[in-house]
Amino acid sequence: MSWIILTFISVISRAIYGVMTKVMSNGIKVSAYTQAFLLMFTCGLLALMVAPFAGGVSFSLDGVNAIAVALLIGGSVLGNILYFAAMKYLTSGTAQITFSSILIFNTFLAIIFTQLSLNLVNILGVIILMIAVLSVTSGKIELNKRGVGLMLAAAFCFAVFQLSSGVVSKQMSVINYLLIAYLGSAFVILLLKLKVIYNDIKNTKDYSTYKIILLTALPSLGNFVFAYFAYRAAPEPAKVAILLTSQVVIAVIISYFLLHEKQHIARKIFAGLLVIVSAILIKM
């Protein structure tokens, strides 16, 4: 299967996951740290369940770049913590605009550290993708320096995570990648916020909470799996990381159908068309 198709399946999965996190946040009453831990831990357990059917787990890390693994886990953990911290200070519109900087971080980090080569057509594609992301921004825009700073840092960390995934995916099996990305991150968050997570789980009496988390974990797993294979198939994995940022646009389109967010539908459709155009240009 073409890497561009794998990338867009990953984008759609990530967009569904993004919508599900909105449902989850509204439906369960635990801290952001506990949500992040439970999601990652659940995804890790799902990966373990399918491991026997996907080649099993390899305990050998020969040939695996340890620095890339550390950056992958660190980017995921710090990205999630900073993101949730930033959301305390930002409106939805400001958060969307600020987080879209991940496209810029992905592009520049890829050029500096992965020797990504972009021609003028590719650059035009990146610009169109940025326009698409910004065009779906909605909500009140307010500048809060602390919140914006935290969100920029979160976007940078997630860019590091995505680019590190591109490196690691070519060095290990899909199951090992999933276990490191999910359980590695969950373990670090558990160490950092053990007391908070323990108290949240202890005081949770509504077991439908775990059903919502499971339903949210499934598209997240799909996102990681298809991104993994896209990274492996792409001649330049950094381009996959750049295109993954289009999930912002797809998420607002999916929200139209699942959450009945029907404002600015024409603008959302136009942004979706821009994403397709940008993908064609970036692939060239």
Side-chain angles (χ1 to χ4, degrees):
M1 188 180 294
S2 168
W3 69 268
I4 196 73
I5 296 176
L6 290 167
T7 299
F8 270 102
I9 296 176
S10 175
V11 166
I12 292 171
S13 298
R14 177 61 180 81
I16 295 173
Y17 164 75
V19 173
M20 286 302 301
T21 56
K22 292 182 181 181
V23 176
M24 185 184 71
S25 296
N26 292 333
I28 63 178
K29 306 301 179 184
V30 296
S31 70
Y33 299 104
T34 303
Q35 290 183 37
F37 167 76
L38 289 174
L39 272 174
M40 293 180 186
F41 186 71
T42 301
C43 287
L45 291 181
L46 291 174
L48 280 175
M49 290 172 61
V50 302
F53 309 100
V57 179
S58 173
F59 295 98
S60 173
L61 295 179
D62 292 340
V64 176
N65 188 321
I67 295 177
V69 171
L71 290 173
L72 183 150
I73 295 175
S76 175
V77 171
L78 291 175
N80 277 289
I81 292 174
L82 290 167
Y83 179 86
F84 290 124
M87 289 303 294
K88 295 179 181 179
Y89 302 98
L90 299 178
T91 63
S92 176
T94 308
Q96 290 177 46
I97 289 178
T98 309
F99 190 74
S100 67
S101 62
I102 188 175
L103 175 57
I104 298 173
F105 288 132
N106 264 331
T107 303
F108 280 98
L109 288 175
I111 292 173
I112 294 172
F113 294 105
T114 70
Q115 288 76 53
L116 173 67
S117 177
L118 295 176
N119 57 40
L120 290 177
V121 175
N122 299 151
I123 294 172
L124 177 60
V126 172
I127 293 172
I128 291 176
L129 181 55
M130 175 61 79
I131 293 172
V133 171
L134 293 177
S135 69
V136 295
T137 299
S138 61
K140 189 177 181 180
I141 309 299
E142 292 181 349
L143 178 61
N144 180 293
K145 291 183 179 180
R146 181 179 179 82
V148 169
L150 288 169
M151 187 60 79
L152 286 172
F156 177 82
C157 289
F158 280 122
V160 170
F161 166 78
Q162 290 180 347
L163 292 173
S164 300
S165 293
V167 175
V168 171
S169 65
K170 293 183 178 293
Q171 301 172 345
M172 62 176 61
S173 69
V174 62
I175 294 299
N176 277 31
Y177 168 72
L178 292 174
L179 293 180
I180 288 175
Y182 283 125
L183 293 185
S185 299
F187 179 70
V188 173
I189 292 177
L190 185 64
L191 288 178
L192 293 173
K193 294 292 179 179
L194 176 59
K195 185 176 181 180
V196 173
I197 294 170
Y198 173 78
N199 288 332
D200 278 344
I201 295 176
K202 180 182 177 181
N203 296 326
T204 298
K205 305 301 181 182
D206 184 1
Y207 291 100
S208 64
T209 293
Y210 301 104
K211 180 180 178 180
I212 297 174
I213 290 173
L214 177 60
L215 292 175
T216 306
L218 290 173
S220 175
L221 195 64
N223 166 40
F224 274 47
V225 169
F226 285 104
Y228 168 87
F229 287 111
Y231 284 128
R232 288 182 66 90
E236 294 181 288
K239 288 187 176 182
V240 175
I242 291 173
L243 286 172
L244 287 177
T245 59
S246 64
Q247 63 87 16
V248 176
V249 177
I250 307 302
V252 297
I253 294 175
I254 291 175
S255 294
Y256 172 82
F257 297 99
L258 297 184
L259 301 182
H260 305 293
E261 297 179 355
K262 298 184 178 182
Q263 306 92 336
H264 313 297
I265 183 58
R267 190 168 64 184
K268 294 174 181 178
I269 294 174
F270 177 69
L273 294 174
L274 288 181
V275 167
I276 296 173
V277 173
S278 70
I280 294 172
L281 297 178
I282 293 173
K283 185 178 183 293
M284 294 176 65

